[in-house]
Amino acid sequence: MNNRETKIGATYALSAYFMWGLFPLYWILFNQVPALEILAHRIFWSLIFMFVLLMASKTLGSFIQQLKSLLVQPKLLFFVFIASVLISVNWLVYIWAVNNGHVIESSMGYYVNPLVSILLGIVFLKEKLTVWQLVAFLLAAAGVLIQTINFGQVPWIALSLALTFGFYGLAKKLIHIAPSMELTFETLFVVPAALIYLIYLQQAGVASFGTESWLTTLLLVGTGVVTAVPLLFFAEGAQRISLTMVGFFQYITPTMQLIIGIAIYREPFHLTQLVSFSFIWLGLIVFTLSATLFVKKQSVMLRTADSKNN
């Protein structure tokens, strides 16, 4: 991978994480719209946007062929369906959390997510845990435990976001489909439920679409774009940069969300929360450094092996 490709990849990835970091500022514009209705519109308009994108890129024919192939592969079809459900639940929890004053706890969920992915990799993919990864996981777990003990309840929003996105990532590890087509499949499989709900709201006369301000209607249509674009940018970036670089970049989003929660939403950030987050941040530092050292070690070993072969 040359430097130019790496720079392009880094630009794509940084753009994706930056857009995700700004999401709380977008969803708060819908504070008068129920989270489930926002989710239904997000699914529907994401599918419309992806179909337009497929037609513009002249890959709609390939998508149809891929769909036919998917329908005769029950196992792959199951994993795509599970991914669809998981990302939909993740979106619902996140939208509800932001619109109900839980931006800081949401950011915790995405800080914890990489460590949840480690645990899932061990349990389901039989990946081995290094000593430093274990230390990182225990530090993050301690941070969540401190939060739980202090508030007398489990931070279910953070854990729900971390677990749903973690299992979503696991499902995607088992799916080998082009990112644009995969996102189209994911929205396609859950759009019937979204459409039924939206039609029900319209018939009941309680829908926000077309009845609230024109800006609300326009923003609901825009949910498709703001959902698809960062996901596509991320896919383009991840193909061009190392996993280590992706690992560093992924903390941009929850950090931005944390800052927005404190500075703009004025959510309280107590000493106990600072201690809790500190344990999680320390765990992430240990995890990232251990991953960096592992990648460097592997690179040195590969170069040594190549030099011996030559």
Side-chain angles (χ1 to χ4, degrees):
M1 192 73 68
N2 58 45
N3 288 334
R4 182 175 179 277
E5 282 293 295
T6 300
K7 287 179 181 178
I8 292 172
T11 301
Y12 271 119
L14 283 170
S15 299
Y17 283 118
F18 187 78
M19 284 186 278
W20 280 329
L22 292 175
F23 265 18
L25 300 180
Y26 191 83
W27 301 127
I28 196 60
L29 299 174
F30 300 102
N31 58 356
Q32 78 282 9
V33 182
L36 194 57
E37 184 177 357
I38 298 172
L39 173 66
H41 277 286
R42 188 175 185 182
I43 292 169
F44 176 74
W45 293 111
S46 293
L47 181 62
I48 297 299
F49 178 78
M50 290 311 301
F51 271 131
V52 170
L53 196 63
L54 289 174
M55 287 188 288
S57 60
K58 298 180 179 179
T59 55
L60 187 59
S62 299
F63 170 78
I64 294 171
Q65 290 299 320
Q66 183 72 66
L67 178 60
K68 291 178 180 178
S69 175
L70 186 64
L71 292 174
V72 296
Q73 299 181 68
K75 186 176 180 180
L76 184 59
L77 185 65
F78 173 76
F79 286 132
V80 174
F81 175 73
I82 291 298
S84 303
V85 173
L86 287 169
I87 197 62
S88 297
V89 173
N90 182 272
W91 289 348
L92 177 61
V93 172
Y94 183 72
I95 293 168
W96 182 90
V98 169
N99 288 354
N100 286 273
H102 299 285
V103 177
I104 292 177
E105 189 176 340
S106 298
S107 72
M108 176 191 283
Y110 291 111
Y111 275 125
V112 172
N113 173 249
L115 302 175
V116 169
S117 296
I118 293 175
L119 182 62
L120 295 177
I122 295 166
V123 174
F124 293 100
L125 302 179
K126 307 302 179 186
E127 295 177 356
K128 293 184 178 180
L129 186 69
T130 67
V131 173
W132 290 112
Q133 285 176 332
L134 176 61
V135 171
F137 184 82
L138 292 175
L139 284 168
V144 174
L145 184 62
I146 290 170
Q147 187 98 324
T148 302
I149 293 173
N150 180 67
F151 291 102
Q153 61 182 21
V154 175
W156 69 269
I157 294 172
L159 292 180
S160 296
L161 291 172
L163 288 170
T164 52
F165 204 76
F167 275 103
Y168 173 69
L170 176 64
K172 289 177 76 69
K173 286 280 287 183
L174 304 171
I175 301 169
H176 303 286
I177 301 174
S180 59
M181 293 190 184
E182 187 179 341
L183 178 58
T184 310
F185 286 136
E186 288 173 6
T187 50
L188 180 64
F189 288 172
V190 291
V191 81
L195 271 175
I196 291 170
Y197 183 64
L198 290 175
I199 291 170
Y200 161 75
L201 292 178
Q202 291 290 344
Q203 291 182 338
V206 294
S208 299
F209 187 84
T211 59
E212 296 286 344
S213 67
W214 65 267
L215 180 60
T216 298
T217 298
L218 188 62
L219 289 171
L220 284 170
V221 174
T223 57
V225 178
V226 301
T227 296
V229 170
L231 285 171
L232 294 172
F233 271 40
F234 174 76
E236 289 291 335
Q239 292 175 356
R240 291 176 168 87
I241 61 177
S242 68
L243 285 176
T244 304
M245 191 176 291
V246 171
F248 277 114
F249 287 171
Q250 70 181 330
Y251 305 126
I252 293 172
T253 297
T255 301
M256 289 178 63
Q257 292 172 355
L258 178 62
I259 293 170
I260 288 172
I262 296 172
I264 298 178
Y265 283 71
R266 301 294 182 182
E267 291 184 17
F269 192 64
H270 304 297
L271 178 61
T272 305
Q273 287 174 292
L274 177 61
V275 173
S276 175
F277 269 84
S278 296
F279 272 92
I280 294 170
W281 290 329
L282 184 58
L284 291 173
I285 291 170
V286 171
F287 167 69
T288 304
L289 289 177
S290 67
T292 305
L293 293 173
F294 175 77
V295 170
K296 286 183 177 179
K297 183 179 178 181
Q298 291 294 100
S299 299
V300 170
M301 290 173 65
L302 286 173
R303 285 197 296 268
T304 303
D306 288 339
S307 63
K308 287 181 179 179
N309 291 333
N310 294 329

